[in-house]
Amino acid sequence: MITRMLNIGLRVASLGVKMLLTLYMARYLGLADLGTYGLVAAFVAIAIPLLGFRLDYVVSREVVDAAPDVRAAKMRDQILFYCLTYLTFGLFISSLMQGPLHDLNLQLAAFTFLLCSLESLATITMTNFIWLGRPALANALFFVRAALWAIPVIVLGYFFPEYRTAAVVFKWWLGGVLLSLLLSVYFLRNLPWSIAFRTAVNWAWIRSSVKKCLPIWLGAVGLATATNIDRLVVEHYLGREFVGIASFYGSFLAAITALLDSGIFAFTSPKLVALHQRGETTAFRREIIKLSLHTGLFAGILVVAIGFFVPFIGNKFGRPEFVDEAPTLWLLLLATWLKSTSTGLYFALYSRYQDRTIWAGNLLMLAIAIGSSVVLVPRFGLIVTGK
């Protein structure tokens, strides 16, 4: 109980700081800068599953009961493969900047690439800590990379107007991610790395695991793209300021998801895998039902609170756009609640290795999201993003 409360406390702290950052940017940065932040955040959200082909999907299940030397070897191979994908990604971006994206802002492109790569690495590291039975540490590292850096951003921007830019936010964000990775290295120091580095890289395991993960990877990229494609479509049809409104709303939705992930899902998912592996069907079903009920109740409280709070703060800030587009927010909150309550079904499928159903559903969601956004946003505006 104490551990769970600690995890919830860390996530609440992260949520609180992120909400303060969102409010600060909405108040002082302007909608265009807020839109730029939202676009970079969207690319980062897509890059996290895109880079590495979701090798973590296999690693997380294989390190649960593995010996320390096996854990170290698999995590080393995982990190090596991910770093290779980051290098390939960087070369791809560089080639695009020599051609169709030659007029892209170099500084913004550099921030985006670094944040995409380092957030991806930090995410798999946090996931490994969760499956190694250290969710409190994972949440502490999440706080460092997602929230701690935002405090000096808010303080500096509040007192010094010259710091009220998206570039300042990106620099501190990058610093927070780097600090979390350095701390991760420190907390992993007790694994038998000397034995792991004397062992040859298991390329055969990497190839077979990546092949196994390909459908999952497609589904994960599909889900992330479906969740964030609206910002790219809104940027194309409506402009950067409307992206700022969507990003303002989206920050609250992302905070809900993050809170649920470590406050509830981080404890339940390893337990579900273990119950299925032991063949305890009755306990497994009972855990799924309990997960769905807890998630629905907790997410419902957050959704209602945010639904009232955001339009109210729009009035206080003198931002009529946040009030005028409130129906969009309410639709997005309803969609977030429905998605959250269905997460129990996802973990039921994941624990039982029913991966095909997961990735097929995500790809279906992507097709619907792209089709509806491209067709309806030009005709009906921002409210389509909530449908």
Side-chain angles (χ1 to χ4, degrees):
M1 177 60 70
I2 295 177
T3 302
R4 175 166 293 200
M5 293 304 297
L6 175 62
N7 278 274
I8 294 176
L10 286 168
R11 280 296 175 158
V12 168
S14 299
L15 173 61
V17 175
K18 290 292 281 186
M19 287 179 67
L20 286 176
L21 177 66
T22 298
L23 296 173
Y24 159 78
M25 290 191 294
R27 177 67 178 85
Y28 293 109
L29 261 63
L31 291 179
D33 267 356
L34 185 56
T36 300
Y37 171 83
L39 287 174
V40 173
F43 282 118
V44 170
I46 295 171
I48 287 175
L50 177 67
L51 302 175
F53 294 89
R54 285 306 310 269
L55 183 60
D56 61 295
Y57 197 85
V58 169
V59 174
S60 61
R61 287 192 289 211
E62 294 191 1
V63 300
V64 172
D65 294 319
D69 58 326
V70 175
R71 287 177 171 179
K74 288 185 181 297
M75 291 169 63
R76 177 211 56 185
D77 292 352
Q78 177 192 35
I79 293 172
L80 173 62
F81 178 73
Y82 270 73
C83 288
L84 290 175
T85 66
Y86 302 151
L87 177 60
T88 304
F89 178 58
L91 293 173
F92 175 70
I93 295 298
S94 297
S95 65
L96 288 179
M97 293 186 68
Q98 302 301 317
L101 300 181
H102 64 276
D103 58 345
L104 187 65
N105 182 287
L106 182 60
Q107 184 187 57
L108 184 59
F111 278 133
T112 304
F113 167 72
L114 289 173
L115 286 169
C116 285
S117 301
L118 295 178
E119 278 282 1
S120 170
L121 186 59
T123 298
I124 65 166
T125 303
M126 188 184 83
T127 302
N128 287 339
F129 278 124
I130 290 174
W131 290 91
L132 289 173
R134 304 178 74 180
L137 175 58
N139 279 313
L141 292 172
F142 177 81
F143 176 80
V144 171
R145 90 170 204 263
L148 183 63
W149 59 268
I151 298 174
V153 170
I154 296 169
V155 173
L156 287 172
Y158 183 80
F159 289 105
F160 304 102
E162 62 269 26
Y163 288 99
R164 298 172 185 174
T165 66
V168 170
V169 175
F170 294 144
K171 289 175 184 177
W172 282 93
W173 182 1
L174 188 60
V177 180
L178 286 171
L179 178 59
S180 74
L181 287 171
L182 290 174
L183 291 172
S184 297
V185 171
Y186 174 79
F187 286 111
L188 287 170
R189 70 191 186 283
N190 291 327
L191 284 175
W193 295 110
S194 59
I195 298 176
F197 285 113
R198 288 198 301 268
T199 306
V201 176
N202 193 344
W203 293 108
W205 173 78
I206 292 176
R207 284 193 297 271
S208 64
S209 297
V210 169
K211 184 177 179 180
K212 186 187 302 182
C213 288
L214 279 176
I216 304 302
W217 173 70
L218 288 172
V221 173
L223 178 60
T225 306
T227 305
N228 293 277
I229 192 66
D230 57 335
R231 298 186 190 182
L232 307 182
V233 176
V234 169
E235 161 76 4
H236 180 73
Y237 288 108
L238 303 180
R240 187 66 57 88
E241 291 193 350
F242 278 95
V243 179
I245 298 173
S247 301
F248 179 69
Y249 293 160
S251 296
F252 290 92
L253 307 181
I256 293 173
T257 302
L259 183 60
L260 292 173
D261 281 343
S262 285
I264 297 178
F265 302 144
F267 294 94
T268 306
S269 50
K271 184 176 182 180
L272 287 171
V273 172
L275 288 173
H276 176 70
Q277 290 176 346
R278 293 196 298 265
E280 298 180 21
T281 305
T282 302
F284 180 85
R285 291 176 179 172
R286 185 165 56 246
E287 195 67 27
I288 289 292
I289 294 172
K290 184 169 69 173
L291 171 63
S292 299
L293 291 174
H294 288 176
T295 304
L297 177 61
F298 194 34
I301 294 172
L302 293 173
V303 161
V304 172
I306 292 172
F308 282 103
F309 174 76
V310 172
F312 170 79
I313 207 66
N315 274 323
K316 287 291 184 180
F317 282 176
R319 295 280 190 181
E321 302 91 348
F322 298 146
V323 181
D324 295 341
E325 298 293 341
T328 301
L329 170 67
W330 297 330
L331 284 173
L332 288 168
L333 288 170
L334 176 60
T336 301
W337 182 79
L338 291 172
K339 178 177 177 291
S340 299
T341 54
S342 67
T343 304
L345 298 176
Y346 164 81
F347 281 112
L349 294 171
Y350 174 78
S351 304
R352 296 160 64 184
Y353 295 82
Q354 294 180 327
D355 300 335
R356 182 186 298 273
T357 304
I358 294 174
W359 65 259
N362 290 343
L363 290 178
L364 177 61
M365 180 180 174
L366 173 62
I368 294 172
I370 292 177
S372 60
S373 296
V374 171
V375 173
L376 299 178
V377 165
R379 295 189 61 187
F380 299 104
L382 191 63
I383 195 170
V384 174
T385 61
K387 295 182 178 180

